[in-house]
């Protein structure tokens, strides 16, 4: 036990010596263990405790809660995007090489604050999953979803602790922009079936997420080939995160859209053979009131089902909802 405590003390000393002193006293910044504990608690709640507590309860509707939450996330993401721009990316940062300014320069301090708030936003995103559980949409709490939400606070913590500014903040810049669009979609979806006609772009939102990770990969890994005063360890840290999420999202995209598209074509051919055509909406065959293009989406499907339930009382034919 004494050896373990000594190891923890040595680790904490390393954190204090190597960490940015500007953030060392900030909330949750002194040690990685509180953040790790919160992330592990999140996984336990959404995968074990939450489903168990909801097992014999009716699902909550939460329509007004979802509208308020998504509206908040749009505003929060827009503010974070603005802060990233005004703290450097619109004023003086270089997309090719941007070292970290560890001084007390007002712009540098502003970026440090933006980094911390971006870290905090990863906790507010936990509510995406909590709402799935409360609405008994446990099938939406996929491995991809939990991995993405569960590790992001821990990943961002290291950035705020050691490199709050400079090259790595491009990740936050582009991610907050994507979230403005993403949570706007959720907001429209939560507002009711009258907005369904404006939600044809769900598939492209997933593709936009993958483009985001490609941009982050290219931006991070370019520092492996040019001389820049930026820690190479964080180049690999950020770049490999982008690689991992790109392949996870790409695999999901192929399963959710391409495979369903092929199934839809086979089903249409079969129906034509039987001279029993399904109704058509926006060029896609419809089963039980749902378009084949409305396959489950990592982020989107749980929000859209609020208004889709009013279109049909039966579950998705492909079994994804």
């Amino acid at each position: 036990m004494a050896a373990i405590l000594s190891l923890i003390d040595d680790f904490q000393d390393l954190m204090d010596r190597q960490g940015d002193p500007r953030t060392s006293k900030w909330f949750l910044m002194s040690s990685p263990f509180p953040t790790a504990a919160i992330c592990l608690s999140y996984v336990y709640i959404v995968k074990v405790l939450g489903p168990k507590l909801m097992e014999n309860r009716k699902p909550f509707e939460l329509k007004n809660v979802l509208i308020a939450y998504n509206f908040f996330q749009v505003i929060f993401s827009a503010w974070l995007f603005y802060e990233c721009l005004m703290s450097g990316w619109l004023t003086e940062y270089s997309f090719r090489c941007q070292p970290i300014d560890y001084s007390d320069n007002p712009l540098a301090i502003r970026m440090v604050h933006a980094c911390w708030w971006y870290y905090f936003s990863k906790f507010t995103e936990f509510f995406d999953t909590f709402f799935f559980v409360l609405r008994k949409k446990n099938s939406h709490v996929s491995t991809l979803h939990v991995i993405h939400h569960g590790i992001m606070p821990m990943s961002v913590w290291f950035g705020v602790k050691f490199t709050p500014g400079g090259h790595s903040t491009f990740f936050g810049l582009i991610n907050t922009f994507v979230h403005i669009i993403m949570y706007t979609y959720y907001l429209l979806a939560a507002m009711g079936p009258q907005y369904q006609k404006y939600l044809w772009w769900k598939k492209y939102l997933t593709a936009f997420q993958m483009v985001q990770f490609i941009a982050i990969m290219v931006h991070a890994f370019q520092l492996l080939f040019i001389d820049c005063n930026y820690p190479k360890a964080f180049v690999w840290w950020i770049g490999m995160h982008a690689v991992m999420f790109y392949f996870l999202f790409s695999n999901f995209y192929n399963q959710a859209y391409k495979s369903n598209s092929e199934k839809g074509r086979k089903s249409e051919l079969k129906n034509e053979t039987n001279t029993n055509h399904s109704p058509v909406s926006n060029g896609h065959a419809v089963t039980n009131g749902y378009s084949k293009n409305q396959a489950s989406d990592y982020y989107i499907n749980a929000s859209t089902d609020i208004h889709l339930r009013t279109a049909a009382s039966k579950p998705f034919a492909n079994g994804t909802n």
Side-chain angles (χ1 to χ4, degrees), residues 23-292:
T23 64
S24 61
K25 302 299 181 183
W26 290 11
F27 182 57
L28 295 176
M29 282 293 107
S30 62
S31 168
F33 296 118
T35 299
I38 294 172
C39 291
L40 291 173
S41 298
Y42 159 79
V43 174
Y44 176 73
I45 289 171
V46 302
K47 296 298 288 185
V48 180
L49 181 62
K52 184 175 180 61
L53 292 175
M54 290 298 299
E55 186 176 8
N56 298 317
R57 291 179 170 87
K58 292 182 179 180
F60 292 90
E61 285 293 330
L62 301 179
K63 178 179 179 180
N64 292 332
V65 174
L66 286 172
I67 291 174
Y69 167 74
N70 289 315
F71 179 75
F72 167 79
Q73 289 291 73
V74 170
I75 300 302
F76 193 17
S77 298
W79 177 74
L80 287 171
F81 179 68
Y82 173 79
E83 285 299 299
C84 288
L85 286 174
M86 300 308 296
S87 300
W89 287 107
L90 191 63
T91 56
E92 61 182 37
Y93 272 26
S94 166
F95 285 93
R96 184 160 177 78
C97 170
Q98 183 57 52
I100 306 163
D101 184 354
Y102 287 105
S103 73
D104 290 328
N105 178 287
L107 273 182
I109 295 297
R110 185 174 182 177
M111 181 60 85
V112 174
H113 281 88
C115 290
W116 188 89
W117 280 108
Y118 177 70
Y119 157 77
F120 181 78
S121 75
K122 299 298 110 180
F123 293 121
T124 66
E125 292 168 17
F126 282 178
F127 284 90
D128 290 357
T129 326
F130 295 155
F131 294 144
F132 287 167
V133 174
L134 290 173
R135 294 164 60 217
K136 300 188 77 170
K137 301 296 181 182
N138 296 328
S139 62
H140 302 335
V141 187
S142 63
T143 300
L144 170 58
H145 183 95
V146 175
I147 289 175
H148 181 64
H149 285 286
I151 71 172
M152 281 305 294
M154 196 71 258
S155 298
V156 179
W157 183 90
F158 284 99
V160 181
K161 181 68 175 180
F162 298 102
T163 59
H167 203 78
S168 60
T169 56
F170 178 79
F171 189 112
L173 175 75
I174 193 169
N175 187 238
T176 52
F177 178 71
V178 170
H179 280 195
I180 295 170
I181 300 172
M182 186 181 77
Y183 282 108
T184 297
Y185 187 104
Y186 297 169
L187 178 61
L188 292 172
M191 290 173 68
Q194 65 271 31
Y195 293 92
Q196 184 177 353
K197 60 184 177 181
Y198 303 114
L199 302 177
W200 52 267
W201 43 282
K202 175 178 70 174
K203 175 180 178 180
Y204 302 101
L205 183 54
T206 306
F208 190 38
Q209 297 252 351
M210 291 189 289
V211 172
Q212 165 195 208
F213 296 125
I214 293 173
I216 293 168
M217 273 186 267
V218 172
H219 183 262
F221 286 142
Q222 67 176 322
L223 295 192
L224 298 177
F225 307 100
I226 63 175
D227 186 21
C228 182
N229 185 22
Y230 185 84
K232 288 292 192 293
F234 277 88
V235 170
W236 284 105
W237 180 258
I238 295 168
M240 292 310 296
H241 268 71
V243 170
M244 176 182 68
F245 284 127
Y246 172 79
F247 282 107
L248 286 172
F249 274 70
S250 178
N251 181 63
F252 176 86
Y253 183 91
N254 290 333
Q255 291 181 357
Y257 293 109
K258 291 187 177 180
S259 62
N260 280 314
S261 178
E262 292 177 0
K263 290 177 183 178
R265 285 195 295 270
K266 291 179 180 178
S267 177
E268 288 174 3
L269 290 173
K270 182 178 180 180
N271 289 336
E272 288 175 1
T273 302
N274 296 330
T275 65
N276 180 24
H277 301 287
S278 298
V280 175
S281 173
N282 295 325
H284 295 280
V286 176
T287 304
N288 290 341
Y290 292 102
S291 164
K292 285 289 184 181

